[in-house]
Amino acid sequence: MPSFDIVSKIDGQTLDNAINNAKKEILNRYDFNDSKSTVDLDKKTNEITIVTENDMRLKAITDSIISRMMKQGLDAKALDFGKEHYAAGNMIRKEITVKEGIDKEAAKKIVKAIKDSGLKVQASIMDDQVRVQGKKLDDLQAVISLCRGGDFGQPLQYINMRS
């Protein structure tokens, strides 16, 4: 029976390249001259840590990260922006987590959207992905176009198409 999986993954190397390009852009900007701003990516926990002096620089850094991710082909919906915390002195610290896998609420929304579409397929939640099975490949392709049109709060990829 034909099937495919709906997942939400970010390529670690591409994300690392985007962060490094954003760091270079920030170092070369005039408004960041004499700045103590740092941007770090923890590859184990998929967390980006930004430390800077004020809100204006924090906004510029996050905009730079988002634009570099877009240029690398990554979706900015994968970023979960936390709150700003005041670090030592007058520094502001912000931690941005990169979402990996589909959370339960988004998976339920995806399954509900597939079932409400009336297509003859079965969708099931398996850990952090959704598996869709059907008798016809055309139905599976219709599910993919349905999911691309919907907004589920995170980027989706479609892998393991088997016929």
Side-chain angles (χ1 to χ4, degrees):
M1 191 138 122
S3 68
F4 72 94
D5 296 331
I6 302 173
V7 296
S8 178
K9 293 189 188 296
I10 293 288
D11 182 30
Q13 186 61 48
T14 309
L15 179 66
D16 190 36
N17 290 343
I19 297 299
N20 287 335
N21 287 339
K23 282 184 195 177
K24 288 178 187 174
E25 180 183 322
I26 290 163
L27 287 174
N28 293 332
R29 285 179 53 164
Y30 179 74
D31 56 341
F32 280 91
N33 199 8
D34 297 332
S35 173
K36 298 180 193 108
S37 301
T38 60
V39 179
D40 295 318
L41 172 65
D42 186 5
K43 293 180 184 176
K44 290 180 182 170
T45 60
N46 272 350
E47 196 167 74
I48 303 167
T49 305
I50 302 170
V51 179
T52 189
E53 288 92 4
N54 55 32
D55 288 329
M56 181 200 70
R57 288 185 175 162
L58 181 66
K59 174 114 175 74
I61 292 171
T62 55
D63 290 345
S64 175
I65 289 172
I66 290 171
S67 70
R68 290 296 164 184
M69 282 182 67
M70 293 298 212
K71 287 182 182 177
Q72 294 279 342
L74 300 174
D75 199 343
K77 286 190 229 173
L79 299 179
D80 185 19
F81 295 96
K83 294 201 170 202
E84 295 94 23
H85 303 288
Y86 286 97
N90 60 349
M91 303 295 274
I92 298 174
R93 175 188 183 101
K94 183 169 188 138
E95 294 177 353
I96 303 170
T97 55
V98 181
K99 293 188 250 180
E100 285 278 327
I102 300 174
D103 58 346
K104 291 290 183 190
E105 291 80 30
K108 287 178 184 177
K109 285 181 190 175
I110 292 169
V111 170
K112 184 176 182 335
I114 291 170
K115 289 189 179 188
D116 290 346
S117 70
L119 295 168
K120 295 185 179 179
V121 294
Q122 293 86 34
S124 58
I125 301 171
M126 300 175 65
D127 294 331
D128 59 349
Q129 64 185 15
V130 176
R131 174 155 293 164
V132 181
Q133 295 178 328
K135 291 184 180 178
K136 297 181 184 175
L137 285 175
D138 292 342
D139 290 342
L140 296 181
Q141 290 172 345
V143 168
I144 290 174
S145 66
L146 173 82
C147 290
R148 282 196 177 134
D151 182 30
F152 300 106
Q154 56 192 113
L156 301 176
Q157 292 86 32
Y158 312 97
I159 60 170
N160 296 338
M161 180 70 111
R162 297 186 187 107
S163 55

